[in-house]
Amino acid sequence: MGMTIVEKILARATGRQVVTAGEVVEPAVDLAMSHENAALVINQFLEVYKETGLDPAVWDPARVAIIFDHRVPAESPKTATNQKKIRAFVAKHAIRKFHDIRGDVGGICHQILPESGYVRPGFVVVGTDSHTTSHGALGAFAFGIGATEMASVWALGIAVNVEVPATINVNVSGTFPPFVGPKDLVLHLIGMLTAQGANFRVIEYHGSTVTSMSTSGRLVICNMAVEAGATAGIVPCDDETVRYLRDEAGVRDIVHRVLPDPDAVYDQHLSIDVSELTPQIACPHTVDNVKSIDAVEGKPVDQIVIGSCTNGRLDDLAMAAGILRGRKVASNTRMLVFPASGRIYSQALEQGMVADLVQAGALVMNPGCGPCLGVHEGALGDGETALSTTNRNFKGRMGNPNSEVYLCSPAVAAASAITGVITDPRKGARA
Amino acid sequence: MPAVVLTLGDDISTDVIYPGRYMATVLPSETPQFAFADLAGFNTRLKSGEIPPGSVIAAGKNFGCGSSREQAVSTLKGYELTVVAGSFARIFMQNAINLGLNLITAPGFEAAEGDTVEIVGEVIRNRTSGGRFAVLPLPKARQAILDAGGLISYTRQRLLKTLRTTDA
Ligand code: SF4
């Protein structure tokens, strides 16, 4: 009986021939990522060592990554002080995969990890962030954990008590129509599965559409797997994965291809043909409240956000810049753009995208999570509506429970910026 | 007899339980003040101390979905609340087990605010309405952590055991 890719990865990480869904295992961790919530991880980590007579020591500093992104630059003295404590910890424990608030190597954790070559196919990646599922785009088993669990990983180097998840096989075929892409696909899938439809399971993506999709697109569909409740999303490693790691992430050593067995046993099979897919919108206040754009076209929007670990990459900015070049953001709306990393920001500058966006009237802000989680930069007023390429629209998500958030692709966001109302980019927008 | 102090629907996210704008507050001793901060009335009742430990929040499916923030658990643990829900999101459930927040999975559980409930074996009884609902056991994998009194002491024990084995 064959194994799914996650079973294969967990077998290797536990030194066994075979593991099967439902078993409880303790995999060795290849990469352990945190962001500002490392402040809490450090607190819990020191708790573990209390009264043991031992010096607190991270099991393997080379496998720990800490990236500041959620509240950069710090929005409050409290955050700044947390960040300061984390810097001291990073220095003391010689953690080298640390990305401070910087315009060159800073950015959102789920962009920094792939672009820095920290994630490899077959890795077990844990992160104190639910969108750690993103890293499945590189063929890794990557899942979110809490801060105390991370403290345990820092101490032991293993994830204790992982129940091997069952897997949903999603086969995607067809060519995307113009202005329709990975974000529309994943929103459509979440609508099909519902917010809990993949709870405690993994989504393994297959099919010709996925094979021909760039790593950037794969990051989108794995990133949002968690919005269907999935433990992880994963695209088995292929030539594109190797290309990305070599050409974009600067990886020089051998890339081991870990793949599912042809006779792997899946919990469920789903097929999606994207050739007729329309732009999809997740309406307030749940991500699975997904509608085709025609249901909400014309709705006025007060703020448009392009960015986040879902859609703040170069191809997303290119799409927005292409649509907005020589045009203007409508006067009844405001547009905020947050490149996902400093590197992307630089590339967007070099390629003239920042100029296109700024001249159209958009604000191009610093790399980071920005308004995605409602802490600073781009709060919404009472009764306001946002249209955003981020991944969550829960009540209060952007900081104000008396506001609404609609989720969409960069193409929809950019087309809507010109009109100030939710607009179908297929109608008149230029690529 | 514990009473239900709040009823909620399906898909209650951690943004609702502990809004993102308070995430700079991380210490379990400090998070309780922001529990359900956007439900101002309930937050005030919690802070006033009128809600006794053991009181029940009743919710539908997929409670705790969304962000992995552990504050969503420590904030409820601070009041020793019990959450009865149809199902829980994975990371929230794991965090609750790690920190010792009492979770009860009871699909179809129905209650109104003020109802009193009682747990007898594998059944939760709504004493006010007379309804009885089956309680599903926690995933087996988690029992060891519960038995150790939470993940911190579990990890501490494991750490000391590993060191003893390597010394020997
Ligand atoms: S961009 Fe948003 S979803 Fe992504 S890591 Fe930051 S806060 Fe989380």
Side-chain angles (χ1 to χ4, degrees):
Chain A
M1 204 169 69
M3 289 188 278
T4 65
I5 188 165
V6 165
E7 287 167 340
K8 287 275 264 290
I9 292 172
L10 288 174
R12 182 200 55 81
T14 50
R16 295 169 44 183
Q17 290 297 315
V18 179
V19 303
T20 316
E23 267 186 80
V24 178
V25 295
E26 297 188 331
V29 168
D30 296 296
L31 187 66
M33 185 279 295
S34 316
H35 44 72
E36 278 96 334
N37 61 14
L40 179 54
V41 181
I42 292 168
N43 184 72
Q44 303 299 75
F45 178 70
L46 298 178
E47 279 291 315
V48 167
Y49 282 83
K50 246 187 204 155
E51 286 157 30
T52 59
L54 301 169
D55 260 348
V58 173
W59 104 101
D60 185 354
R63 295 187 187 278
V64 174
I66 297 180
I67 289 100
F68 288 165
D69 56 4
H70 274 55
R71 296 180 294 273
V72 295
E75 90 297 353
S76 67
K78 196 159 200 164
T79 292
T81 307
N82 282 345
Q83 289 169 344
K84 184 179 161 190
K85 282 185 194 153
I86 297 167
R87 282 187 198 102
F89 185 90
V90 159
K92 178 158 181 222
H93 293 265
I95 292 167
R96 304 287 293 278
K97 294 186 167 89
F98 170 60
H99 293 251
D100 209 328
I101 303 166
R102 294 178 64 100
D104 51 359
V105 295
I108 306 175
C109 55
H110 305 310
Q111 177 58 26
I112 294 300
L113 260 51
E115 76 175 31
S116 307
Y118 295 166
V119 180
R120 306 297 170 80
F123 265 23
V124 173
V125 179
V126 294
T128 48
D129 191 279
S130 53
H131 292 105
T132 300
T133 55
S134 306
H135 310 291
L138 294 168
F141 175 40
F143 58 101
I145 62 175
T148 303
E149 197 163 351
M150 183 58 83
S152 177
V153 171
W154 282 5
L156 302 173
I158 53 171
V160 292
N161 291 327
V162 172
E163 203 168 305
V164 180
T167 297
I168 306 171
N169 181 318
V170 176
N171 193 287
V172 192
S173 60
T175 307
F176 285 115
F179 299 109
V180 177
K183 181 65 165 288
D184 303 294
L185 163 63
V186 75
L187 287 175
H188 177 67
L189 175 65
I190 293 160
M192 279 169 76
L193 281 168
T194 78
Q196 50 196 317
N199 270 9
F200 293 90
R201 297 190 290 170
V202 167
I203 298 175
E204 199 180 285
Y205 292 101
H206 292 273
S208 56
T209 314
V210 178
T211 310
S212 54
M213 194 183 283
S214 68
T215 296
S216 180
R218 296 173 180 187
L219 282 162
V220 176
I221 60 176
C222 291
N223 173 274
M224 288 194 73
V226 70
E227 306 310 330
T231 301
I234 192 162
V235 176
C237 167
D238 61 7
D239 292 347
E240 160 59 15
T241 319
V242 176
R243 182 207 65 79
Y244 178 87
L245 288 172
R246 296 257 181 273
D247 298 353
E248 299 192 40
V251 169
R252 292 284 156 261
D253 45 336
I254 296 167
V255 174
H256 297 283
R257 298 191 184 215
V258 182
L259 300 171
D261 292 326
D263 57 344
V265 178
Y266 294 96
D267 205 39
Q268 187 181 350
H269 285 266
L270 283 175
S271 296
I272 299 175
D273 181 349
V274 298
S275 19
E276 304 282 321
L277 191 65
T278 56
Q280 304 284 299
I281 311 278
C283 300
H285 291 286
T286 53
V287 187
D288 61 357
N289 187 14
V290 176
K291 297 183 176 148
S292 176
I293 190 160
D294 37 288
V296 285
E297 254 183 298
K299 162 123 196 131
V301 284
D302 302 289
Q303 179 163 294
I304 290 178
V305 177
I306 293 189
S308 86
C309 54
T310 314
N311 284 121
R313 276 176 291 277
L314 199 65
D315 53 344
D316 303 317
L317 302 188
M319 173 64 81
I323 291 174
L324 281 161
R325 187 174 306 127
R327 313 282 279 274
K328 285 288 178 192
V329 172
S331 57
N332 69 317
T333 195
R334 46 188 192 269
M335 181 177 189
L336 312 180
V337 180
F338 292 81
S341 71
R343 186 188 295 182
I344 291 169
Y345 198 120
S346 290
Q347 291 168 338
L349 265 176
E350 282 160 19
Q351 298 180 28
M353 298 171 198
V354 172
D356 290 335
L357 292 166
V358 169
Q359 281 157 19
L363 285 176
V364 180
M365 318 271 293
N366 60 292
C369 297
C372 174
L373 75 163
V375 176
H376 68 153
E377 293 183 315
L380 296 168
D382 286 347
E384 284 198 325
T385 298
L387 179 68
S388 176
T389 70
T390 53
N391 47 41
R392 287 196 169 132
N393 60 355
F394 304 141
K395 207 172 197 331
R397 173 70 182 181
M398 279 196 175
N400 186 344
N402 304 314
S403 65
E404 290 189 325
V405 180
Y406 289 76
L407 305 177
C408 68
S409 69
V412 171
S416 306
I418 297 169
T419 56
V421 299
I422 296 181
T423 298
D424 188 334
R426 296 171 304 174
K427 298 181 184 163
R430 304 164 313 180
Chain B
M1 207 65 62
V4 174
V5 289
L6 180 68
T7 58
L8 298 161
D10 292 343
D11 301 319
I12 298 300
S13 75
T14 53
D15 280 290
V16 171
I17 304 165
Y18 193 91
R21 59 187 185 279
Y22 304 114
M23 268 170 70
T25 300
V26 296
L27 296 181
S29 55
E30 295 175 8
T31 56
Q33 57 184 313
F34 302 123
F36 290 101
D38 290 333
L39 300 179
F42 186 63
N43 175 271
T44 311
R45 284 176 66 200
L46 282 172
K47 285 194 294 200
S48 73
E50 69 178 81
I51 292 177
S55 295
V56 170
I57 293 177
K61 290 185 227 162
N62 205 27
F63 185 85
C65 61
S67 153
S68 64
R69 70 191 65 156
E70 199 163 286
Q71 290 99 321
V73 168
S74 64
T75 196
L76 303 182
K77 171 73 182 165
Y79 298 104
E80 292 295 346
L81 295 169
T82 294
V83 186
V84 183
S87 63
F88 293 93
R90 181 185 63 86
I91 305 176
F92 182 88
M93 176 184 264
Q94 187 68 57
N95 285 342
I97 289 156
N98 293 344
L99 298 191
L101 172 71
N102 193 20
L103 299 187
I104 294 171
T105 312
F109 179 69
E110 280 176 17
E113 271 164 45
D115 289 2
T116 55
V117 302
E118 181 180 38
I119 296 168
V120 194
E122 254 107 81
V123 168
I124 181 164
R125 236 184 98 199
N126 182 332
R127 297 199 14 130
T128 312
S129 71
R132 295 162 62 87
F133 308 88
V135 170
L136 302 182
L138 287 174
K140 236 195 282 159
R142 278 74 174 183
Q143 197 58 45
I145 295 168
L146 286 176
D147 292 346
L151 185 59
I152 289 195
S153 43
Y154 180 79
T155 301
R156 190 183 293 138
Q157 289 166 16
R158 289 285 299 260
L159 189 66
L160 292 170
K161 205 168 100 193
T162 321
L163 290 176
R164 272 199 299 274
T165 335
T166 13
D167 285 352

